[in-house]
Amino acid sequence: MSDKPILVTGATGNISSLVIPQLLASGSKVRALVHNADKAKSLSDKGVEVVVGDLENPASLQKAFDGVSAVFLLTPFGEKADALARNAIAAAKKAGNSYIVRLSVIKAGPDAPTANTRSHGQTEKDLKESGLPVAYLRPHYFMQNIFGSLPTIGSEGIIYQGMGDGKLAMIDVRDIADSAAKVLLDRSHAGKTYSLTGPVSLTWHTVAKAFTAVLGRPVKYVPIPSEAVADNIRKIGWGEWAAAVMRDYSAAYGSGWGDFVTEDVKNLTGHPARSIEQFAREVLAPALSRK
Ligand SMILES: NC(=O)c1ccc[n+]([C@@H]2O[C@H](COP(=O)([O-])OP(=O)(O)OC[C@H]3O[C@@H](n4cnc5c(N)ncnc54)[C@H](OP(=O)(O)O)[C@@H]3O)[C@@H](O)[C@H]2O)c1
């Protein structure tokens, strides 16, 4: 095991916050790039070396990237994600030959149907051109996105989505984190691409049935037009770029774009990908009971 730390970006977010404890448990040293110092106390309490830096500010990054053995490169969802990733890639190149594990998205590429997927495609291209050793993780739609529907599940027993009867192999974020930890700890994954999915492809009707069974109260899926999804995103203030991305994801998933399953989680972690029932029992039900 390397004596050098593994750098984790997005350290306070959904995925990275689940990756860090696994790296620490393996005996690795962990350095976290944190953009908001106020959120970093719990990380330093766990023995993580915290470096404050902003992916938007190249000058703030070098101290985080210097002297690491590997980097978990996660950029926040948004219009500037590919520019933030370019800043990180430049810092990684300047630091040397560190191994990068890139958190991308399913089917990243220039011809993809959403601006977010194309932006991730651009970053994959930038990483390939950097010459750095890189492993790519391309996760499917997160089960945890359902947290956006907690208010209507709680008040009306309804999930509103714009994906019609489309099937998608949504994944529990815990499986993404488990996979990322394995790939970060083994540099032989460099050059490989893993498409991380849940165990089965589901319509939202099937998801609602699973929630009904696990929660013991009726939950129904009500399809809405993809334009209505965009309007809802505008209303919560995420802006025009995110509204168009969510509209385009909805239309793509509605047409079956996400209807595929891989064995990559099982092959990487040794355990099957978590089911929607397991997610409902272990994550959704406790979250609803806290509300
Ligand atoms: N949702 C999905 O279904 C889905 C599916 C596939 C792939 N993805 C991809 O997953 C990624 C998001 O992962 P996630 O949900 O784990 O992220 P997340 O929970 O939104 O966390 C984002 C992290 O980035 C940090 N951050 C924000 N702006 C920063 C900046 N300027 N400099 C440094 N750090 C900054 C945040 O810090 P603060 O907490 O301090 O703001 C936070 O730690 C995106 O690339 C998205 O495209 C999402």
Side-chain angles (χ1 to χ4, degrees):
M1 179 166 314
S2 170
D3 215 32
K4 295 177 178 174
I6 298 173
L7 173 65
V8 178
T9 63
T12 54
N14 296 313
I15 300 170
S16 299
S17 63
L18 300 178
V19 172
I20 288 172
Q22 302 192 47
L23 300 179
L24 291 171
S26 77
S28 302
K29 290 183 185 160
V30 178
R31 183 183 291 172
L33 176 74
V34 174
H35 134 259
N36 180 343
D38 297 341
K39 294 192 188 170
K41 170 98 175 67
S42 67
L43 287 170
S44 33
D45 288 348
K46 287 182 193 127
V48 173
E49 177 195 356
V50 172
V51 175
V52 178
D54 186 334
L55 287 166
E56 286 197 41
N57 175 5
S60 73
L61 298 178
Q62 207 57 51
K63 61 185 182 302
F65 282 79
D66 279 344
V68 298
S69 61
V71 178
F72 184 51
L73 180 54
L74 181 148
T75 40
F77 173 77
E79 194 167 4
K80 295 185 197 156
D82 56 342
L84 302 192
R86 262 193 300 279
N87 292 338
I89 295 165
K93 271 213 85 158
K94 209 168 159 198
N97 193 32
S98 43
Y99 166 50
I100 312 275
V101 177
R102 170 60 180 165
L103 194 286
S104 185
V105 286
I106 57 160
K107 298 185 173 180
D111 303 322
T114 86
N116 187 55
T117 320
R118 293 191 292 274
S119 162
H120 275 287
Q122 179 61 47
T123 298
E124 290 196 1
K125 182 168 179 278
D126 291 341
L127 280 163
K128 276 172 193 136
E129 287 172 3
S130 75
L132 291 164
V134 184
Y136 301 88
L137 300 181
R138 293 174 155 193
H140 209 305
Y141 183 95
F142 299 175
M143 290 179 186
Q144 276 76 353
N145 292 343
I146 195 69
F147 284 119
S149 299
L150 282 194
T152 61
I153 294 177
S155 61
E156 306 168 51
I158 294 182
I159 303 168
Y160 296 98
Q161 294 283 350
M163 302 181 199
D165 293 339
K167 288 169 90 178
L168 58 156
M170 53 184 79
I171 182 168
D172 191 315
V173 164
R174 294 174 294 174
D175 289 325
I176 304 172
D178 292 355
S179 304
K182 293 285 185 202
V183 174
L184 274 162
L185 290 168
D186 181 355
R187 204 178 168 119
S188 73
H189 293 288
K192 308 245 175 68
T193 298
Y194 299 102
S195 294
L196 306 174
T197 74
V200 282
S201 198
L202 304 163
T203 67
W204 279 101
H205 295 291
T206 319
V207 172
K209 270 191 201 143
F211 289 175
T212 300
V214 172
L215 300 175
R217 60 186 162 108
V219 179
K220 196 176 157 205
Y221 164 47
V222 173
I224 57 173
S226 53
E227 278 303 340
V229 173
D231 281 342
N232 290 341
I233 297 295
R234 285 184 195 103
K235 276 184 205 141
I236 58 171
W238 284 19
E240 213 38 57
W241 184 86
V245 166
M246 294 308 183
R247 177 197 63 215
D248 295 344
Y249 266 126
S250 297
Y253 285 133
S255 71
W257 181 73
D259 183 13
F260 65 95
V261 174
T262 75
E263 293 285 303
D264 285 354
V265 168
K266 193 171 178 188
N267 292 339
L268 286 170
T269 66
H271 67 69
R274 291 166 172 92
S275 66
I276 196 73
E277 289 80 9
Q278 202 174 344
F279 167 79
R281 216 170 29 246
E282 296 170 358
V283 181
L284 181 62
L288 279 167
S289 71
R290 281 194 297 272
K291 266 179 72 72

